[in-house]
Amino acid sequence: MPKHVSRRARAKAPTAATLIMRSGIVGLMATCGVAVVDLAIPDSANAQSPATQAPGTKPDAAAAQGSASGTEAKQEPVLLTADQVTFDETNSVVTASGNVELAQGKRSVRADKITYNQKTKVVTATGNIRLVEPSGDIVFADYAELTDDLKDVFIENIRVLMTDNGRMAGNEGERREGRLTRVNRGVYSPCDLCKEDPTRPPLWQIRAVRIVHDNEEHEVRYKDATMEIFGIPVAYTPYLSHPDPSVDRKSGFLTPSFGNNSNLGAILKTHYYWDIAPDQDATFDLHYYSQQGPLLGGQYRKRFESGRLELEGAITRGDVANTTIVPKETRTRGYVAARGLFDIDETWRAGFDVKRASDPTFLRRYYDFREDYLTSKAYVEGFRGRNYAAITGYSFQDMRYGNTIPEPVALPYAQYNALGEPGSLLGGRWSFDTSLLAVSRFKNAGPDTQRFVAQPGWERNIVSNAGFVTTLSGSVLVAGYTAQQFNTADPTSRGADNISRFRFFPQGQATVRYPFVRYGESSSQLVEPIGQLTFAPKLPNNRVFPNEDSLDVEFDDVNLLQPNRFTGIDRLDDGMRFTYGLRTAIYGNTQGSASLFLGQSIRLSDSSAGFTGDSGLKDQVSDYVGRLDLQPADWLDVNYGFRIDHETFRPRRHSLNATAGVPLLRLSTSYTYVDQTTARNAVTRNRVEQASFGASSQFTDYWSLGVSHTQAMEPQPGPRSSLAVLSYSDECLVFQTIARRDYTVSTTGEKDGNTIFFRLVFKNVGEFKSPGINASFLGGSSANQ
């Protein structure tokens, strides 16, 4: 590399020159090899350039003044690299050409040619200009004029690529004070251009007289904006704004939503988001209905150093029922919800989740919420090693219209669970579970119950040399009960007795498995017979004990091998029984699997468990249960569970979920059949049978179609619901057309009928969505929020 940089009268500057500029671009210095030449200083030593020396100022004074000013306001140096650099001493013009890059801090400019006039302090860039902003935005142009600190720019034929892949373009633009980027006669779009014809309009774009990007407010503003889809104007607004890509959240109005409902009429929903602080925010909702009063709602969210808090609610004045069967009643309606979780220390934390509605139909009508219960709880829980402890209180609100029986309150429900290390006791591991429960019912709705339970246990696995896998386990349950207003004939209903009961129940199990495994070139096979012996004493009549957690039994392959087939511990599976089963499976080495399990239980002694006839466990020999899981490849997935009567071989329960196909066409079905008949020889059978069918197709890269239908066969045959969804989704637009037909009728006589709504999402700008959403605490958050 040459050892000097020549002036204009001499040869051009060497290639790959690097220049460092301080105080803007006034003090140019070029580094060439090991020599440094100050291009802004004449040949005479210690002389100042006219551009930097004030008239009548001595060199030393000027230097002192410059030093003082530099101390007051330090400015980052400017780095210039280029293939060639020339300096016109007469006109005080520095010209850099060939792969030119001008950088100051995080801001840089690349161009084919850059000139700097020391007198006017103007930098001019031409040819393939690329300006990189500290925010990450990139500006492209053919011609630009910049100030010496690179903060103010004027650009012709401006094009801006934002950090989220959004694009702006216009005839001319300018940036002021490194903050405002203004584009005149511009367009904005986050959509990719057509690869075959980049001159075609994007899928959608916003065309405006002026577009301003504010880097301090982090906002993009439009004046006289027109929305264009496929180049066709579809909407106009005199003003529009949205946050830029660097913003996670910002106060302002959210996109409104519109729709229509047969019970509410025409709907308009508006939302305002309030960014209160980095650790908290809120959303306010105002809903207008043509056939009901307006609804005011909102959500509040706050983060703490040791937890979080969320509040939500809504209130309106409207009709409780809108039907000729139930008279109308106009009153104040609404709901409230609160959720929080807070760390107390490294072991303990406390939380709550509360939901309450003014009446059973409010959430169904305004938020399409269809669950039968709202569950509220508050708790304190701790984790340490393998130990867990918690104290919880539960409250329930029945959302089934017309049910006048008040729900119980469980307070407290305290539990402690401990688990030992493997091999810590007689070659196995010990366990200890204990709990305290108090259930209260109001308005004489049933008995009040208090229960204390302690259950130590032990389990060990033994693998013999012959391949047998034996699992030995045992437990001892000790329980004490007290109850007020107890009914011995029916423990679930109110009586007149006050009782105290004690229960001691030891139980043991021995399970033996012998897995036969074969490894092949493409798959491995498993055949595993299972035998289990369960032994326990026979208990007295279970009806003398309260029953809070064992009201139902679902006998299937999941609980076939469990010590207790009831859901809780208020009812126990006593006596001796032998359970056997067979598990077989095949697993592909690369993909695919299939497995089948069959099993049955045989009681060896009488039991007082009190299983009902429809449970499959009433007789000495249980029903057959099993499950088939089949997934040979990604195009097929089948899960089938069943229970078959052991005498008549009549099916008592079927559960099928299956999907098959490829993205172009994928079919799905779900089928449920439950025979709830108590007596095996009953003429009239009590059955529930329902099936749903669906099909979906991703017929292009962007378009998809899905349809589904639910049909009931028993006990009341007929259709239940139908749904069709047409979707378009790409990098900048999501569009959905959703049509739903609901054939059900609520207990108030209201019919949901037909619903059609649209969802339109413009990336970075906003979203339009018709109503038909759930409250965020009740199963999902609104897409408008």
Side-chain angles (χ1 to χ4, degrees), residues 415-552:
Q415 59 185 125
Y416 173 74
N417 309 102
L419 186 64
E421 296 184 4
S424 60
L425 180 63
L426 301 177
R429 67 192 313 173
W430 58 268
S431 64
F432 181 75
D433 301 316
T434 183
S435 65
L436 175 65
L437 173 66
V439 177
S440 302
R441 292 178 172 86
F442 305 102
K443 299 180 181 180
N444 297 322
D448 296 337
T449 304
Q450 301 82 42
R451 183 190 74 190
F452 173 78
V453 176
Q455 186 175 19
W458 174 83
E459 182 178 284
R460 178 181 178 182
N461 290 323
I462 303 173
V463 180
S464 68
N465 294 331
F468 288 95
V469 180
T470 303
T471 302
L472 302 177
S473 64
S475 65
V476 177
L477 184 144
V478 179
Y481 291 85
T482 61
Q484 298 79 42
Q485 298 180 336
F486 184 72
N487 186 351
T488 304
D490 183 5
T492 62
S493 63
R494 178 176 176 265
D497 298 333
N498 295 332
I499 65 164
S500 296
R501 299 282 190 266
F502 175 78
R503 170 176 282 174
F504 178 82
F505 183 69
Q507 189 177 41
Q509 271 190 335
T511 305
V512 180
R513 299 179 289 114
Y514 194 82
F516 296 90
V517 181
R518 178 181 178 272
Y519 298 99
E521 295 182 358
S522 59
S523 64
S524 58
Q525 297 87 41
L526 168 69
V527 177
E528 184 182 46
I530 303 173
Q532 182 186 79
L533 180 63
T534 304
F535 44 92
K538 182 181 177 181
L539 293 173
N541 187 359
N542 271 323
R543 290 183 178 271
V544 302
F545 291 92
N547 187 3
E548 301 291 352
D549 61 8
S550 304
L551 296 175
D552 193 16

Side-chain angles (χ1 to χ4, degrees), residues 561-759:
L561 298 172
Q562 292 182 358
N564 187 24
R565 270 82 66 93
F566 286 101
T567 55
I569 59 175
D570 288 342
R571 294 293 178 266
L572 297 172
D573 202 349
D574 60 350
M576 294 184 62
R577 67 179 183 268
F578 176 72
T579 306
Y580 66 93
L582 178 67
R583 178 182 292 110
T584 178
I586 180 171
Y587 304 97
N589 293 339
T590 56
Q591 68 171 352
S593 65
S595 64
L596 174 65
F597 175 80
L598 296 170
Q600 187 184 39
S601 178
I602 302 174
R603 189 176 297 119
L604 303 178
S605 62
D606 293 337
S607 173
S608 63
F611 292 110
T612 59
D614 61 342
S615 65
L617 292 168
K618 181 179 181 181
D619 298 333
Q620 184 177 2
V621 178
S622 76
D623 289 345
Y624 299 99
V625 294
R627 172 169 293 276
L628 172 66
D629 295 307
L630 181 62
Q631 190 179 20
D634 294 338
W635 52 268
L636 180 63
D637 190 355
V638 178
N639 305 106
Y640 172 56
F642 57 89
R643 178 163 63 87
I644 300 174
D645 191 284
H646 67 279
E647 287 188 359
T648 63
F649 294 100
R650 178 178 295 173
R652 302 298 299 270
R653 183 186 293 269
H654 289 302
S655 177
L656 172 67
N657 291 280
T659 59
V662 295
L664 181 60
L665 178 61
R666 195 165 188 87
L667 305 176
S668 63
T669 185
S670 176
Y671 173 76
T672 301
Y673 171 87
V674 180
D675 188 350
Q676 299 174 325
T677 306
T678 302
R680 182 175 290 108
N681 56 357
V683 177
T684 303
R685 308 196 70 83
N686 180 18
R687 293 176 293 195
V688 175
E689 187 176 9
Q690 183 171 293
S692 62
F693 310 91
S696 63
S697 175
Q698 183 77 41
F699 52 90
T700 71
D701 293 338
Y702 305 117
W703 287 96
S704 64
L705 174 66
V707 295
S708 64
H709 176 75
T710 301
Q711 182 78 19
M713 285 71 78
E714 296 285 351
Q716 297 179 347
R720 291 295 180 259
S721 63
S722 300
L723 179 69
V725 180
L726 177 65
S727 301
Y728 175 89
S729 178
D730 61 16
E731 78 284 349
C732 66
L733 178 69
V734 175
F735 171 75
Q736 283 186 329
T737 300
I738 303 174
R740 183 178 66 187
R741 169 70 171 174
D742 196 328
Y743 301 92
T744 60
V745 179
S746 69
T747 52
T748 62
E750 295 182 1
K751 294 184 178 180
D752 292 313
N754 299 324
T755 303
I756 183 169
F757 55 96
F758 305 94
R759 181 170 179 254

Side-chain angles (χ1 to χ4, degrees), residues 2 5 29 35 43 63 78 88 111 122-123 141 156 170 247 290 317 372 432 516 568 588 613 617 647 649 652 670 677:
V5 176
M29 301 180 66
D43 291 338
V78 178
D88 187 343
V122 174
V123 179
E156 293 182 356
V247 175
S290 62
R317 180 116 181 132
D372 291 338
F432 181 75
F516 296 90
L617 292 168
E647 287 188 359
F649 294 100
R652 302 298 299 270
S670 176
T677 306

Side-chain angles (χ1 to χ4, degrees), residues 221-386:
R221 298 186 289 267
Y222 304 84
K223 179 181 179 182
D224 292 333
T226 302
M227 171 68 75
E228 296 182 356
I229 300 179
F230 296 111
I232 302 175
V234 297
Y236 167 82
T237 177
Y239 177 81
L240 177 67
S241 67
H242 63 81
D244 70 11
S246 65
V247 175
D248 293 328
R249 59 189 197 182
K250 185 178 179 64
S251 298
F253 284 97
L254 304 179
T255 306
S257 56
F258 311 88
N260 186 79
N261 181 275
S262 58
N263 295 316
L264 301 173
I267 303 172
L268 169 63
K269 294 188 176 184
T270 58
H271 314 274
Y272 183 84
Y273 177 78
W274 182 20
D275 182 14
I276 304 173
D279 60 343
Q280 56 183 321
D281 60 7
T283 306
F284 300 97
D285 305 324
L286 183 58
H287 304 174
Y288 298 94
Y289 306 99
S290 62
Q291 298 180 10
Q292 295 290 325
L295 180 144
L296 178 63
Q299 304 86 37
Y300 171 78
R301 297 160 290 269
K302 181 174 176 59
R303 285 277 187 178
F304 299 90
E305 184 177 353
S306 60
R308 64 180 183 269
L309 173 66
E310 299 176 60
L311 305 176
E312 182 174 330
I315 188 171
T316 186
R317 180 116 181 132
D319 297 337
V320 175
N322 187 12
T323 173
T324 58
I325 301 175
V326 181
K328 289 184 179 180
E329 181 185 353
T330 302
R331 66 183 186 190
T332 301
R333 311 175 66 189
Y335 83 97
V336 293
R339 181 166 53 197
L341 182 62
F342 302 90
D343 294 330
I344 301 174
D345 54 30
E346 295 182 356
T347 301
W348 295 94
R349 68 181 185 180
F352 58 88
D353 189 354
V354 179
K355 309 180 187 74
R356 301 293 293 185
S358 61
D359 56 84
T361 61
F362 173 82
L363 294 175
R364 179 184 177 97
R365 171 177 286 193
Y366 290 95
Y367 293 97
D368 196 29
F369 178 80
R370 299 176 182 238
E371 298 295 330
D372 291 338
Y373 296 94
L374 290 179
T375 302
S376 300
K377 66 177 181 178
Y379 57 92
V380 177
E381 60 183 357
F383 307 83
R384 176 173 293 177
R386 298 181 178 89

Side-chain angles (χ1 to χ4, degrees), residues 186-206:
V187 294
Y188 168 82
S189 176
C191 303
D192 293 337
L193 299 178
C194 178
K195 296 181 179 179
E196 291 77 13
D197 184 8
T199 61
R200 290 176 54 185
L203 180 61
W204 68 266
Q205 63 182 5
I206 300 176

